[in-house]
Amino acid sequence: MRRNDPRLEIIAEALHSLVPGAAPAFLSVTLTETLPGTANPDGTPHTHTWTGRPESVAERVFTRLYGRPGIDRPQSPLAQAEDAKRRRDLTGELGALMSAGNALESAPWYPARPGDLVHIHYEATGDYAAFGETYVVEPIADWHGDLGLRLLHHTRTGPDAEDAVGCFAPGDTIGEPLMGPWFEAGPHRLTIVRDGRPVHTGGAR
């Protein structure tokens, strides 16, 4: 995550806009807790106060939602393309998608085969712990035998767990079951196992 991550910039700009027309360099944020039933010697309510820069508040919000900024984390090809689109960088947008497609199609284990296992790791975000999904590649009956994904297992917890998993099963690219996870989750989150051997370990360091 870069310090100039557009999400961090959006949060900071939202805080700056609370005072229309203000110069960001001269803004500060004050958060006050007023304790009920207490008073200072002069009769004013007893308070606890925090004062800081809007950028500090933005970083706290960002960290709660996405993790600490300043840590360089890989992005999925789709996220890279969306960042380029926001910058109106058509070359960058197309380049992110084309290079990802070329990387997949040139992998020595491509294309997928029936029985391949595809594990997807999701980092912790906000109140949600990290979790994983495991899919198997197999023929899909409604697709006349073309390959798709079936969710085997997940480690997501919480009341919405079942609604929040399985988005790649069976997938939306008939005959190309790896395209969805590769572009949307990103190759860095994928582990692909064939015949009991890992053939792609995107999260390996």
Side-chain angles (χ1 to χ4, degrees):
M1 213 73 71
R2 305 173 305 281
R3 286 281 171 177
N4 64 343
D5 188 292
R7 294 170 295 182
L8 184 58
E9 293 175 357
I10 289 169
I11 296 170
E13 288 170 2
L15 294 171
H16 295 159
S17 68
L18 291 173
V19 183
F26 301 121
L27 285 174
S28 65
V29 176
T30 300
L31 187 68
T32 302
E33 177 192 26
T34 301
L35 302 177
T38 63
N40 293 315
D42 61 359
T44 60
H46 187 63
T47 62
H48 294 149
T49 302
W50 177 91
T51 300
R53 299 279 304 148
E55 291 76 17
S56 297
V57 178
E59 284 200 17
R60 286 172 179 257
V61 173
F62 185 100
T63 299
R64 184 67 173 169
L65 291 172
Y66 308 113
R68 289 183 59 82
I71 299 173
D72 188 17
R73 299 178 187 271
Q75 287 184 299
S76 71
L78 186 60
Q80 294 175 40
E82 289 175 346
D83 278 354
K85 185 176 182 179
R86 279 191 291 268
R87 299 192 305 268
R88 298 183 179 180
D89 178 6
L90 181 59
T91 301
E93 181 182 357
L94 295 176
L97 298 175
M98 291 179 65
S99 63
N102 291 337
L104 174 60
E105 293 176 0
S106 63
W109 41 263
Y110 184 83
R113 298 178 188 171
D116 287 353
L117 297 177
V118 182
H119 181 80
I120 306 174
H121 168 77
Y122 298 92
E123 296 88 356
T125 55
D127 294 328
Y128 296 100
F131 72 100
E133 296 179 311
T134 302
Y135 296 84
V136 62
V137 176
E138 63 182 18
I140 304 299
D142 293 344
W143 291 0
H144 306 289
D146 281 321
L147 298 179
L149 296 175
R150 177 169 60 87
L151 180 65
L152 288 178
H153 184 71
H154 70 85
T155 58
R156 175 85 179 234
T157 58
D160 64 342
E162 295 304 321
D163 295 330
V165 297
C167 63
F168 296 112
D172 54 9
T173 309
I174 294 177
E176 301 289 350
L178 299 180
M179 284 289 185
W182 189 268
F183 278 84
E184 296 180 38
H188 61 287
R189 291 194 176 100
L190 303 185
T191 300
I192 300 172
V193 177
R194 175 173 293 163
D195 300 330
R197 301 285 185 180
V199 294
H200 174 79
T201 53
R205 293 288 182 268

